[in-house]
Amino acid sequence: GCPASCLWGGRGATMAARFGANKAAGRARGAVQCRAASWLPGSTRPAYLDGSAPGDYGFDPLELGAVPETLQRMKECELIHARWCMLAAAGIILPEALGFGNWLEAPLWAVSGGSAKYFGVDVPFSVAQLAGLEFVMMAGSEALRNEETDPVKRCYPGGPFDPLGFSKDPSKLRELQVKEIANGRLAMLAVLGFFCQANATGAGPVANWAAHVADPWHVNVATNGVSIPFLS
């Protein structure tokens, strides 16, 4: 091929020289470094949130995690609450969606008589028996967890809690950890929303959703008379 100077004369040579100089300058400056993802683009991440934890986007406006021991405890508590809320969200939505009543009605048997039901099946235990079973199972589980001194294994014990062996691939494990905490945070907000909806409407999330979809302009957060009082 003909060089640029043959096609464009002196201008081609000048452009080629500038291009070569720019490439050389880029190499001299080194590779561009990517910054860790941030919850607020352009903001400065706290030094103690270095992105090493799953789902760490530098969010701590009150600096609650500035103390390392406190940060580790908060990460553990967040993960545990996230897991409970994922179970709670599913446990609230599924029975109502399948026609077994909503979560507001589920505990009424304890004060009105009768027996507990689980997906329409009678549970042959009294309140005292259920409380005793829950205490034994929860106390036993927490006792075993607190025996673990490794902060990672306290959150991700593996073994029988990973029957499909997902943790064997480090890259896959990291991806699943990020997805778990992301879905767990969403579930915590969802359960909080279920509580607020129940207080405002006295109904479960499926009934609230169905009513809103049927008439979105007249059934929404601004019309229930509780969520935004001055609009009632």
Side-chain angles (χ1 to χ4, degrees):
C2 183
S5 57
C6 295
L7 298 174
W8 297 98
R11 177 180 294 182
T14 302
M15 291 177 64
R18 288 179 179 175
F19 178 73
N22 289 338
K23 287 186 66 177
R27 287 194 297 268
R29 287 194 297 268
V32 176
Q33 295 184 350
C34 295
R35 298 179 62 183
S38 175
W39 71 280
L40 182 62
S43 63
T44 302
R45 296 170 60 94
Y48 52 87
L49 296 179
D50 57 5
S52 60
D56 176 9
Y57 299 106
F59 180 79
D60 187 15
L62 300 180
E63 298 185 355
L64 300 177
V67 179
E69 294 77 10
T70 303
L71 176 61
Q72 180 58 42
R73 177 60 178 165
M74 286 187 169
K75 290 192 291 187
E76 182 179 334
C77 290
E78 180 188 34
L79 184 59
I80 292 173
H81 283 82
R83 289 168 175 168
W84 276 116
C85 282
M86 285 190 282
L87 290 172
I92 288 172
I93 293 174
L94 287 177
E96 184 180 357
L98 296 175
F100 294 112
N102 63 48
W103 70 280
L104 297 169
E105 299 168 348
L108 295 181
W109 66 272
V111 294
S112 61
S115 63
K117 291 183 180 295
Y118 186 75
F119 282 98
V121 179
D122 288 330
V123 178
F125 298 111
S126 66
V127 175
Q129 290 171 326
L130 287 173
L133 288 171
E134 182 177 352
F135 175 80
V136 170
M137 289 188 291
M138 290 300 300
S141 299
E142 285 299 296
L144 291 173
R145 188 174 67 85
N146 285 323
E147 289 179 358
E148 180 58 67
T149 57
D150 186 329
V152 176
K153 289 185 177 180
R154 284 175 64 90
C155 296
Y156 305 100
F161 295 97
D162 184 20
L164 300 180
F166 290 131
S167 60
K168 294 180 180 179
D169 182 348
S171 61
K172 188 67 174 179
L173 174 62
R174 176 70 179 192
E175 178 185 349
L176 292 174
Q177 288 173 336
V178 172
K179 289 180 178 179
E180 179 185 38
I181 194 62
N183 283 280
R185 288 167 177 167
L186 181 61
M188 287 189 280
L189 290 174
V191 171
L192 175 61
F194 295 161
F195 290 168
C196 294
Q197 279 184 314
N199 180 65
T201 66
V206 176
N208 283 321
W209 170 80
H212 170 69
V213 171
D215 189 6
W217 289 106
H218 297 95
V219 182
N220 54 64
V221 68
T223 63
N224 61 40
V226 176
S227 300
I228 308 179
F230 58 85
L231 291 181
S232 60

